[in-house]
Amino acid sequence: MTRPNGAQKRSNTSIKDQAVLSPQEHHEKTDYSRWRLRDDHGTHTWHYLETDEEIKAWPQTTADKYFLGMETGLPNLPPARKPLESIRNGLSFFSALQLEPGNWACEYGGPMFLLPGLVITWYVTETPIHEAFKTEMKNYLFARQHPEDGGWGLHIEGDSSVFGTAMNYTTLRLLGADPEDPRLIKARQTLWKLGGALNGPHWAKFWLSVLGVLEWEVVNPVPPEIWLLPDWVPIAPWRWWIHIRMVFLPMSYIYSKKWSYPLNDLTRQLRSELLTQPFETIKFDNHRNTISPLDNYHPKSWFLNVINWFLVYVWFPILRPASLAKKGEDWVWWLVRAEDDNTSFSNLGPVNGPLNALVCYIHDGPSSYNFREHLKTLPEFLWVKDEGMLMNGTNGVQVWDTAFLIQAVHDAGLAEDPKWKPMLLKALEFLEDQQISEECRDQQKCYRQQRKGAWGFSTKKQGYTVSDCTSEGLKAVMLLQNLPGYPKLVSERRQKDAIDVLLTMQNKSGGCASYEPTRGSELLEYLNAAEVFGRIMVEYDYPECTTAVVTALHMFSKHFPDYRKDEIAAFKNRAIDYIRRAQRPDGSWYGSWGICFTYAGMFALESLACVGETYANSERVRRACQFFLDRQMEDGGWGETYRSCETGVYCQHPQSQVVQTSWVVIALLEAGYPERGPLERALRMVVGRQQKNGEWKQEAIEGVFNKSCMISYPNYKFIFPIKALGMFAKRFGDVELI
Ligand SMILES: CC(C)=CCC[C@@H](C)[C@H]1CC[C@@]2(C)C3=C(CC[C@]12C)[C@@]1(C)CC[C@H](O)C(C)(C)[C@@H]1CC3
């Protein structure tokens, strides 16, 4: 697996100069004992150490080794028979993964369309890539190539698609893979069978046009002038879901400029590798709407097709005044800069990060301050694991996983145990450090939600409030700070600031969305141009987010009964009503951020429990429990595949899953389900899967977004079994399970 020390040389040459490497190179691995994760106030970056002095000065930690899939040396523990023994073993392993600032981290992979955007951005801006990064990125892409057909899907478990295959093939080539490598030949064959890059979705066509491999005529329009629409217009972009508007913002600038990288030998070759007919014979505007059925999860509406037709054949060539184009571009540029400033160049996510970087490059040039700052923050999305280097779905999971771990240990009744107190104290210090303390620059002008007092999903630096991240962060803080022996690090005022933010987040329906309350009609889905995702245009109500907010308000009002009392009570009532309405006739709830019914059911039943609605007194809760009981598997576990998210119908996984089983156990315990039997059988399976050193191994992917794309939450396999076992022991005692 490793190369001799020092054999990996640093390279500062542009990736352009190394387009073709020898076939042997493809099997290279870096020396894994040289990788280190730095965590600076939650900001993660991976480093490859060059010299022996560096290695001595910066030893590899247990967490580094675990992330890299190396032997951690953590000891075998006495076998667990009872819930609390299993929790202790789990915590003894998981506590060794806590990082210096107090947070947990992990790979946050799954989506297979992120790394291509970054590598294309680096390539077209002629940014040198560290040799070790290149090697491991190639390794990851090869490791995730589907063995049967050589392609890639939208996400790691998804079937091969044009988006996945064209983008990752291109990425491998930009990173120096040889087109005659048998794995690339196989990928090409699959891509051609699927119709080649012309059958890709909008975002594939966009990136390949930036790279200069396709012509801009193949890209459906993204006019910057849409940002000039007055706010009252029902389709104005400030109403869109924030991820879509922050992606279409920089995209519109680049589209308007029709900026492309000049053709070179490699991109010329890519034209023949990615296309099924000679480039010169293609009439690109005829292919704006061609798309393989495998990519077409959400077909474009006829309405959008008409608008696109008008934009392509009338607006852009005939009507568009140059002054309006300029005004649109200028305003978009202003908004891009505001986003960069408000996130210290971290940006909202892994798609708009590279796009904003490219906008700064185009607008300000390669040596500009803005572009250079982007180059510093882009690596914060990267992660190294045993399979190689990937791009995470966010710049980390810091606040989210840390808040959940605190709650799990608390719910297991172990927060005052001297053994775990130092760990929890550090976790609390981390959350204190990560609470957002100021509003954005030009908050109104850039349509940002109130955020002072909030927590985000990853870091304070990224700076976006999320309804449930603020809630889970606040709950974790309140749980610890109200125990004897924990300092009050987050003051009363700051807890109230968090509540003030939460109180801005409710929709008219009573439910809560993710980053902002819903600002536009669901009809905006008729303008969904991305093809590969569903439900992306506006915010929706989510049982998960709503529950987090309700339970945070509930806990807060126990400690501060007078603060905004009536508003909190009204908020709670309306939210619980929404949860009740969102239940399906079969007793389940559809989950949008975890797979799928098992995830949402856990939250919804927690909501109902917090207003005293349980198995004993509610037909609704009994129906929800029955839904789960009907699906318990032979071995006592539950298992649901990601197809549930795509189809909206519960899809049975052939294997039970530790994480989903824990979710259901938590759900049934929240519901006050009276019988011990099904819970015991479930937890027996969970404890049976625990390894001798206390860890649980990775199973199927846990998370989802936009209905079609899955994403990994590797720490869930620690957090949720601990919580489920702890809640069970509290209720039924620390009984022998095995
Ligand atoms: C289509 C685009 C722009 C893709 C980039 C990926 C992002 C959209 C995804 C990656 C991680 C992601 C699923 C996330 C969320 C939203 C969408 C994200 C950011 C949120 C914050 C929504 C609310 C959820 O309850 C929860 C907090 C779990 C997630 C966390 C990750």
Side-chain angles (χ1 to χ4, degrees), residues 150-182:
W152 294 264
L154 179 66
H155 57 93
I156 54 175
E157 292 194 8
D159 297 335
S160 299
S161 64
V162 175
F163 196 19
T165 308
M167 298 305 282
N168 289 301
Y169 180 94
T170 302
T171 307
L172 277 169
R173 294 284 284 122
L174 298 182
L175 292 169
D178 184 340
E180 294 317 314
D181 183 310

Side-chain angles (χ1 to χ4, degrees), residues 181-443:
D181 183 310
R183 294 164 295 184
L184 271 80
I185 295 177
K186 204 167 171 187
R188 235 163 27 230
Q189 280 162 354
T190 289
L191 180 61
W192 290 345
K193 260 193 229 141
L194 298 175
L198 289 182
N199 255 359
H202 187 222
W203 293 10
K205 287 168 175 162
F206 171 87
W207 279 117
L208 292 174
S209 301
V210 165
L211 186 58
V213 169
L214 300 183
E215 297 280 354
W216 274 105
E217 283 63 44
V218 82
V219 181
N220 270 320
V222 196
E225 45 275 32
I226 196 162
W227 288 88
L228 300 174
L229 289 173
D231 287 353
W232 60 263
V233 175
I235 65 163
W238 73 278
R239 302 173 185 276
W240 305 355
W241 185 43
I242 191 138
H243 275 282
I244 289 311
R245 74 176 193 259
M246 294 326 269
V247 167
F248 276 78
L249 179 78
M251 234 181 208
S252 71
Y253 185 87
I254 300 164
Y255 177 86
S256 190
K257 294 280 182 203
K258 303 269 160 71
W259 189 92
S260 281
Y261 191 61
L263 195 63
N264 63 20
D265 286 348
L266 176 58
T267 49
R268 192 172 298 115
Q269 280 174 39
L270 276 170
R271 286 181 171 177
S272 62
E273 291 164 32
L274 297 174
L275 298 168
T276 53
Q277 62 187 98
F279 182 86
E280 297 69 30
T281 64
I282 297 171
K283 205 165 163 338
F284 281 94
D285 59 341
N286 285 348
H287 291 278
R288 279 185 301 111
N289 296 320
T290 53
I291 180 161
S292 127
L294 289 163
D295 290 69
N296 207 6
Y297 180 75
H298 181 107
K300 293 192 299 301
S301 64
W302 62 265
F303 181 60
L304 181 57
N305 286 334
V306 170
I307 294 183
N308 282 337
W309 184 91
F310 170 78
L311 289 170
V312 169
Y313 297 111
V314 185
W315 177 255
F316 278 98
I318 305 170
L319 295 180
R320 191 189 196 208
S323 58
L324 198 69
K326 168 132 189 1
K327 211 170 154 201
E329 285 173 6
D330 289 348
W331 177 226
V332 164
W333 167 248
W334 187 93
L335 288 166
V336 164
R337 287 291 310 116
E339 158 76 351
D340 286 348
D341 280 352
N342 281 325
T343 60
S344 306
F345 291 91
S346 294
N347 297 130
L348 173 63
V351 181
N352 84 325
L355 285 171
N356 274 21
L358 190 55
V359 170
C360 290
Y361 177 87
I362 296 169
H363 191 279
D364 285 351
S367 47
S368 63
Y369 171 81
N370 293 331
F371 177 63
R372 301 257 133 226
E373 285 303 302
H374 273 294
L375 290 187
K376 284 190 213 154
T377 54
L378 284 173
E380 293 165 20
F381 288 108
L382 295 172
W383 191 264
V384 194
K385 63 179 292 197
D386 53 350
E387 294 170 316
M389 181 178 260
L390 64 131
M391 187 156 177
N392 280 343
T394 56
N395 58 344
V397 299
Q398 297 84 333
V399 164
W400 184 247
D401 280 4
T402 304
F404 268 143
L405 186 274
I406 293 177
Q407 294 182 50
V409 180
H410 178 276
D411 293 352
L414 294 174
E416 289 175 90
D417 186 329
K419 180 137 202 246
W420 310 118
K421 225 168 142 183
M423 167 186 87
L424 294 177
L425 190 57
K426 276 201 82 96
L428 175 62
E429 282 166 5
F430 180 74
L431 290 185
E432 187 278 327
D433 183 46
Q434 295 297 318
Q435 189 182 18
I436 298 171
S437 50
E438 278 166 16
E439 295 301 347
C440 297
R441 173 201 127 183
D442 294 305
Q443 185 192 343

Side-chain angles (χ1 to χ4, degrees), residues 108 113 203 241 243 247 350-351 393-394 400 457 466 468-469 514-515 533 545 593 705-706 711 713:
Y108 194 37
F113 61 95
W203 293 10
W241 185 43
H243 275 282
V247 167
V351 181
T394 56
W400 184 247
F457 180 72
V466 185
D468 53 356
C469 301
S514 55
Y515 297 79
F533 306 117
C545 300
W593 308 113
F705 58 91
N706 306 345
I711 187 158
Y713 286 82

